[in-house]
Every structure is written in C-alpha cells, then in structure tokens.
Amino acid sequence: MSTVIDKITSPQQPAENIRETERVCESRKAEEQPKTGGREIEEKNSLSKPRYDEYIPEKKADKTKGSKKRVPDEKKSEGRYKGSTDKVDREIEKLRKEKEKLKAQLSIEKDDTKAAEFERRLAQVERELKQKDNDAYRRQHMEVVKM
C-alpha cells in the first residue's frame, strides 16, 4: 500500500500511472468487500415490488367421516320464477276506492264532528296510499312463484 502512495505523491509520475494506481486501489477495495453475488441487484429490484406469501388453501376434512353431502344439481336449482304484484295492486286499488268514498262522504256531511272524523280518516288513507303506491313497495311485497 505504501508503494501506491509513493507513486501518487512523487512529482515525477505521469498521469497515466496515477490512473492505473487508482484502478488498483478500487479493485482491492472490491476484493475486501464480501461477495454477495446478485443479491444486491435483486434487493434493489425487489424494493420496488412488494413481497407477498402465496396463500394455498387447505382442503377441509369432513367432520362426519363417511357421510356424503348432497350437492344439488345446478340444473335443478336453476329455474324460472315469476313475480306477482297482484295482491299489492288490489290493496292499492282498495285504498283508492276508500279515498274516493271518504271524499264523497266528507262533501255531503254537515255535522262538524263527523266531518272532522272523515278528514282524519281521509288524511290517514292518503298517507298510506302515498307510502304504498310506488315501485319499491311493489317489489318488496310481491309474491315470487316458480314457473
């Protein structure tokens, strides 16, 4: 090592010899470092990509050994279904008729107490009709029938 320093510090050395001694020093430093092979390169590349363990599901053992579970056939479970809103439509139609009847009775009634009672019942029927006369209510309360 001292010969390298002597060569560098002596004023008579040409620039080419100095460059050569620098290369020798770098090669010695490289030899002193532990050889890792391609791991450093792999680690640099792997930092950009997250590492995950691969999940391999295990087969679950049957708790009741020897018994076979019945699996329904896909063809049998598939079928055609029909939604029927007939009951809901009848209920809504009944409310509409009751509303018309109450309006007619209210217009005829002369007694204030009975008129107030008809108004109260009419308001109740209108609220119920407003709540039930929509598509969401029909879908929720329809009957599903297998064809």
Side-chain angles (χ1 to χ4, degrees):
M1 187 78 145
S2 64
T3 58
V4 175
I5 295 174
D6 292 338
K7 289 181 181 178
I8 294 173
T9 56
S10 65
Q12 300 162 352
Q13 294 289 329
E16 291 177 7
N17 290 342
I18 295 173
R19 288 185 194 138
E20 186 177 325
T21 55
E22 288 175 356
R23 286 185 210 139
V24 171
C25 289
E26 289 175 5
S27 66
R28 287 183 183 165
K29 287 180 185 177
E31 288 176 2
E32 291 174 4
Q33 293 178 352
K35 294 183 180 181
T36 57
R39 288 187 184 177
E40 288 180 346
I41 297 170
E42 288 177 16
E43 288 177 7
K44 289 179 183 176
N45 291 340
S46 66
L47 291 177
S48 63
K49 298 177 185 177
R51 291 185 183 179
Y52 296 103
D53 291 336
E54 185 177 345
Y55 174 72
I56 302 172
E58 296 178 11
K59 293 182 180 180
K60 295 182 180 178
D62 288 337
K63 292 180 182 178
T64 57
K65 294 181 181 178
S67 68
K68 295 183 180 179
K69 294 182 181 179
R70 288 189 151 223
V71 179
D73 294 333
E74 290 182 19
K75 293 178 183 178
K76 290 182 181 178
S77 64
E78 291 180 11
R80 297 188 69 177
Y81 294 90
K82 178 181 176 184
S84 174
T85 59
D86 292 339
K87 281 187 175 181
V88 178
D89 291 337
R90 282 193 298 267
E91 182 180 355
I92 292 170
E93 190 61 35
K94 183 179 173 184
L95 288 171
R96 286 182 183 153
K97 286 181 182 179
E98 188 176 348
K99 178 181 173 183
E100 293 300 319
K101 182 180 172 185
L102 288 171
K103 278 185 179 181
Q105 287 178 347
L106 182 61
S107 64
I108 297 172
E109 190 60 47
K110 301 214 191 274
D111 188 17
D112 289 336
T113 57
K114 287 186 179 182
E117 178 65 26
F118 285 132
E119 285 179 6
R120 184 187 65 77
R121 285 184 55 206
L122 180 63
Q124 180 184 3
V125 169
E126 286 176 343
R127 281 192 306 267
E128 193 174 346
L129 189 60
K130 185 178 179 182
Q131 180 185 9
K132 292 180 179 182
D133 193 12
N134 58 45
D135 289 336
Y137 184 84
R138 282 186 175 91
R139 281 190 211 113
Q140 288 174 350
H141 293 85
M142 73 177 175
E143 290 182 9
V144 180
V145 181
K146 188 172 183 177
M147 295 178 73

